[in-house]
Amino acid sequence: MSKWSILFFFLLVPLSGFSQIRDTVPYHYENYSSSVIDSLPHVFLKEIIIYPSQSTWSPRQIRQYTTLERKVRKVYPMAKVAALKVAEYNRIYSNFKTERERKAYVKQAEKELFKDFEGEIRHMTMSEGRILIKLIDRETSQTSFEIIKEFKGGFNAFFWQTVAKIFGHDLKAEYDAKNEDQMIEYIVMQIDMGYIQ
């Protein structure tokens, strides 16, 4: 046997035996997971989102970004609390049997929310209010209009939508992470990863 045929034999035998594995064999590492399918390793990495470098921004763009970041840092914690409260209220609200019990509960929840957030909301700028409405939609997967309609009914939702429109807001505004709200999403992700305090 020549040295080439021996080398070929040693390369072929492990590959033919390895290719018999048909099932996925998962491996989990700290930052990614991988598997072996038909002798081909697959690695599943976390999504990486790339944004333009701030070094290429004009001074005006940097000022706009800094202002937006300050506003998002202020209202994002409120949106997260709102999401937790809405989930809690939904869970409790659905357990009531009568409409009277539901109305009493909603009244109590309203009082609690006003007590906790009235001061902060009263001192919000209009643009912070718009960002909060968008972030509530992001966190709850429901617009503010839908949340009010669910708990208080269609008439109340319509009333508050009319009031919001007078002040330049839209309770039906949906969060658009890929287009209109792309920079807000970038800031939120930075906050979630701990890059922004």
Side-chain angles (χ1 to χ4, degrees), residues 100-164:
R100 187 176 183 179
E101 288 176 318
R102 288 188 180 120
K103 282 184 179 177
Y105 178 71
V106 168
K107 220 174 226 184
Q108 180 61 36
E110 258 185 314
K111 282 181 187 173
E112 183 184 315
L113 288 172
F114 272 110
K115 190 181 87 172
D116 292 346
F117 296 108
E118 185 180 16
E120 291 178 74
I121 290 174
R122 283 194 187 276
H123 293 98
M124 250 186 219
T125 64
M126 290 179 67
S127 57
E128 288 169 349
R130 272 188 224 105
I131 293 168
L132 178 60
I133 288 168
K134 292 282 190 108
L135 288 175
I136 286 173
D137 180 47
R138 179 189 188 272
E139 295 300 307
T140 63
S141 301
Q142 288 181 291
T143 64
S144 298
F145 182 86
E146 291 168 341
I147 293 169
I148 295 169
K149 186 176 179 183
E150 182 180 339
F151 289 109
K152 297 283 286 174
F155 178 78
N156 278 300
F158 176 76
F159 171 77
W160 286 112
Q161 171 68 350
T162 306
V163 171

Side-chain angles (χ1 to χ4, degrees), residues 34-45:
S34 65
S35 60
V36 177
I37 303 170
D38 284 336
S39 76
L40 297 173
H42 294 268
V43 177
F44 306 98
L45 300 175

Side-chain angles (χ1 to χ4, degrees), residues 6-101:
I6 293 170
L7 181 63
F8 179 74
F9 177 76
F10 280 112
L11 287 175
L12 183 64
V13 169
L15 286 178
S16 63
F18 193 64
S19 67
Q20 298 302 316
I21 299 173
R22 293 265 183 235
D23 295 329
T24 300
V25 181
Y27 298 94
H28 296 287
Y29 298 98
E30 190 174 321
N31 294 323
Y32 62 90
S33 63
S34 65
S35 60
V36 177
I37 303 170
D38 284 336
S39 76
L40 297 173
H42 294 268
V43 177
F44 306 98
L45 300 175
K46 288 184 178 178
E47 180 183 14
I48 298 172
I49 299 172
I50 299 172
Y51 288 90
S53 171
Q54 291 183 15
S55 62
T56 62
W57 292 357
S58 68
R60 181 174 179 259
Q61 288 173 317
I62 291 171
R63 277 194 310 275
Q64 286 175 332
Y65 172 80
T66 305
T67 302
L68 182 62
E69 182 186 300
R70 181 177 41 78
K71 291 175 181 180
V72 171
R73 275 187 304 155
K74 180 178 178 181
V75 300
Y76 182 52
M78 294 171 69
K80 289 182 88 158
V81 169
L84 292 173
K85 295 272 189 194
V86 166
E88 178 189 340
Y89 295 154
N90 269 329
R91 185 177 46 78
I92 296 170
Y93 185 83
S94 61
N95 289 331
F96 291 121
K97 306 241 184 313
T98 66
E99 194 60 34
R100 187 176 183 179
E101 288 176 318

Side-chain angles (χ1 to χ4, degrees), residues 180-195:
E180 185 182 345
D181 303 314
Q182 186 177 23
M183 200 51 71
I184 294 174
E185 182 67 15
Y186 172 67
I187 294 167
V188 166
M189 288 175 64
Q190 297 262 44
I191 292 170
D192 287 344
M193 289 189 282
Y195 296 138

